[in-house]
Amino acid sequence: MKIAITLFILFITSGVFAQPGIPIFLQGTWKMENKEIYEHWDVLNDHSMQGFSYKMKDGQMVVSEYLKVYQKEDEVFYTATVLNQNKGKGIDFKLSKKDSVYTFENPDHDFPKNIVYHRLNDTEIYVQVSDGKQRGFAYKMEKQTIQPVERDSSISNPNFDPVLADRFGGDDYGMKGYILVILKTGQNQSADPSLISSSFKGHMANINRLVDEGKLIIAGPIGKNDNSYRGIFILNNIATLEDALEILQTDPAIKNGLLDVELYNWYGSAALPAYLEMSEKIWKVNP
C-alpha cells in the first residue's frame, strides 16, 4: 500500500549541480588569515547555498552570523543574519557581478553596502566589505582541509553513525535537498467518470512506482482551504525542478489536467526516507 492510501483519501475527499549564478567555489570551511575566524558553506541544491561565520574561542565555536545565497528567477541574493542585530532579520544584497569576483550590493543599507568574494585560486579567497567608497575592510581566507567544526566537542554528535549517514547521503548537518510538490485542483473540470476513474487509478499506481524507485517519500492530503490545494509530494533524489516536472508527467491525473502542481526546493533531514519501512507495518485497513 505504501503511501498511496493517503492520496486515495485525497481523491475521494476533495545532486549537487549549481547554477552559474551561485558561487559554488565557497563550499567548505574557510579560515581568515592570522585569525581564528571562519566561514563554512554548503551547497543545498541547484540554486541555493547556506553558511555561517564563527570564531574559535578556547576550543569552542561561537557563531556570529548565518549566511545564505539563493537564486530567485534571474537574480541572485546574498543574505546575512547577524546575531543580536536587526531584530534577527536578514539583510539582502543583490548580485551585480560574477565570475571569479562575486559582488553583492545593497545601496540602501547603512553598512556594509558591498560584499565581495574574489576567488584567487582553489584554496584562497579575498573578501571585501565596504560602503562602496572609502570605509570598509578586507581580508584573505584559506580553505581548510581539516574542518575545525569537526573537532569542536560542543557541537559534535556522540551518536553519529557514519555508515547510516553515508546510506542516507546527508551533509554534515544530516540534511539534504528534496523537492516539495503541492498538488492542486487542475484546469480540467471534466465530469467524465471514465476519465476520472482511469486517471486516478493510474495516479495511485504511479505513486507506488515512484516509491519503489526511491523518488517519492512523502504524500498526503491537505485539508479544505481557499487555495485549491489538494495534497503534497516530497520527491527524493531528483536533481532539478525541471527533472521533477518531467517525472510528474508520468502521473495520469497530472498529465490529464485533473491535478496541477507547484514545485519548490526544500531542505530537510536526510533520514526522512527511513519512515517508509515502518509505514508498511502500521496500516490496518485496506481502503
Side-chain angles (χ1 to χ4, degrees), residues 16 21 23 27 31 51 58 135 151 158 183 185 196 211 215 226-227 236 238 259:
V16 178
Q27 182 165 258
K31 180 182 181 296
D58 300 326
R135 182 187 173 198
R151 300 197 303 263
L183 298 166
T185 301
I196 294 173
V211 172
K215 296 176 181 177
D226 295 330
N227 298 312
N236 187 31
I238 308 299
L259 292 176

Side-chain angles (χ1 to χ4, degrees), residues 139-194:
Y139 50 88
K140 183 187 289 187
M141 302 192 85
E142 295 183 353
K143 195 167 190 176
Q144 304 297 288
T145 55
I146 299 177
Q147 308 298 333
V149 175
E150 295 177 357
R151 300 197 303 263
D152 179 11
S153 61
S154 68
I155 64 164
S156 62
N157 179 7
N159 299 314
F160 177 69
D161 184 334
V163 176
L164 196 62
D166 183 66
R167 171 187 167 192
F168 289 119
D171 57 23
D172 287 346
Y173 310 115
M175 307 281 278
K176 64 177 291 186
Y178 300 93
I179 293 177
L180 169 65
V181 181
I182 297 180
L183 298 166
K184 57 185 182 180
T185 301
Q187 296 296 314
N188 187 348
Q189 300 297 309
S190 172
D192 180 352
S194 177

Side-chain angles (χ1 to χ4, degrees), residues 20-21 103 114 118 125 151 153 166 180 182 203 247 263 282:
T103 301
N114 290 355
H118 185 180
I125 57 175
R151 300 197 303 263
S153 61
D166 183 66
L180 169 65
I182 297 180
H203 168 73
I247 288 170
L263 280 66
I282 61 174

Side-chain angles (χ1 to χ4, degrees), residues 113-255:
K113 296 181 183 295
N114 290 355
I115 300 175
V116 180
Y117 286 87
H118 185 180
R119 181 178 182 270
L120 302 178
N121 51 56
D122 288 345
T123 61
E124 293 181 310
I125 57 175
Y126 188 67
V127 184
Q128 297 170 284
V129 181
S130 73
D131 63 357
K133 297 179 181 179
Q134 296 182 345
R135 182 187 173 198
F137 54 90
Y139 50 88
K140 183 187 289 187
M141 302 192 85
E142 295 183 353
K143 195 167 190 176
Q144 304 297 288
T145 55
I146 299 177
Q147 308 298 333
V149 175
E150 295 177 357
R151 300 197 303 263
D152 179 11
S153 61
S154 68
I155 64 164
S156 62
N157 179 7
N159 299 314
F160 177 69
D161 184 334
V163 176
L164 196 62
D166 183 66
R167 171 187 167 192
F168 289 119
D171 57 23
D172 287 346
Y173 310 115
M175 307 281 278
K176 64 177 291 186
Y178 300 93
I179 293 177
L180 169 65
V181 181
I182 297 180
L183 298 166
K184 57 185 182 180
T185 301
Q187 296 296 314
N188 187 348
Q189 300 297 309
S190 172
D192 180 352
S194 177
L195 173 67
I196 294 173
S197 177
S198 62
S199 294
F200 279 94
K201 182 178 179 180
H203 168 73
M204 291 185 286
N206 196 63
I207 287 171
N208 286 329
R209 179 183 65 81
L210 292 177
V211 172
D212 289 339
E213 293 175 358
K215 296 176 181 177
L216 177 61
I217 54 174
I218 294 287
I222 294 176
K224 187 176 180 180
N225 59 85
D226 295 330
N227 298 312
S228 297
Y229 291 159
R230 304 278 294 276
I232 67 166
F233 288 162
I234 293 182
L235 299 179
N236 187 31
N237 299 324
I238 308 299
T240 67
L241 297 179
E242 290 75 15
D243 290 341
L245 189 58
E246 182 177 348
I247 288 170
L248 290 170
Q249 289 304 307
T250 62
D251 185 320
I254 295 172
K255 185 175 182 179

Side-chain angles (χ1 to χ4, degrees), residues 20 42 44 79 92 104 120 157 167-168 175 262 266 285:
D42 289 297
L44 303 185
T79 302
D92 291 331
F104 299 93
L120 302 178
N157 179 7
R167 171 187 167 192
F168 289 119
M175 307 281 278
E262 293 180 7
W266 184 72
V285 178

Side-chain angles (χ1 to χ4, degrees), residues 20-132:
I22 302 299
I24 59 173
F25 63 82
L26 287 177
Q27 182 165 258
T29 300
W30 302 81
K31 180 182 181 296
M32 187 182 297
E33 191 173 43
N34 300 321
K35 292 187 178 180
E36 290 295 316
I37 298 177
Y38 300 83
E39 279 189 19
H40 179 83
W41 288 93
D42 289 297
V43 175
L44 303 185
N45 51 53
D46 63 345
H47 63 267
S48 64
M49 300 177 65
Q50 182 171 286
F52 58 96
S53 297
Y54 63 96
K55 297 180 180 179
M56 296 300 294
K57 184 177 181 181
D58 300 326
Q60 302 295 313
M61 184 179 71
V62 181
V63 176
S64 58
E65 62 180 327
Y66 292 98
L67 306 168
K68 180 169 65 174
V69 175
Y70 64 97
Q71 183 167 343
K72 184 176 181 180
E73 296 179 351
D74 295 330
E75 296 182 322
V76 175
F77 297 89
Y78 175 105
T79 302
T81 305
V82 181
L83 299 189
N84 302 317
Q85 290 187 20
N86 198 37
K87 297 181 179 180
K89 296 181 180 179
I91 302 297
D92 291 331
F93 299 81
K94 187 166 72 172
L95 179 67
S96 62
K97 183 180 179 181
K98 63 183 181 181
D99 194 9
S100 62
V101 180
Y102 279 70
T103 301
F104 299 93
E105 298 180 334
N106 183 341
D108 297 326
H109 191 233
D110 50 1
F111 185 88
K113 296 181 183 295
N114 290 355
I115 300 175
V116 180
Y117 286 87
H118 185 180
R119 181 178 182 270
L120 302 178
N121 51 56
D122 288 345
T123 61
E124 293 181 310
I125 57 175
Y126 188 67
V127 184
Q128 297 170 284
V129 181
S130 73
D131 63 357

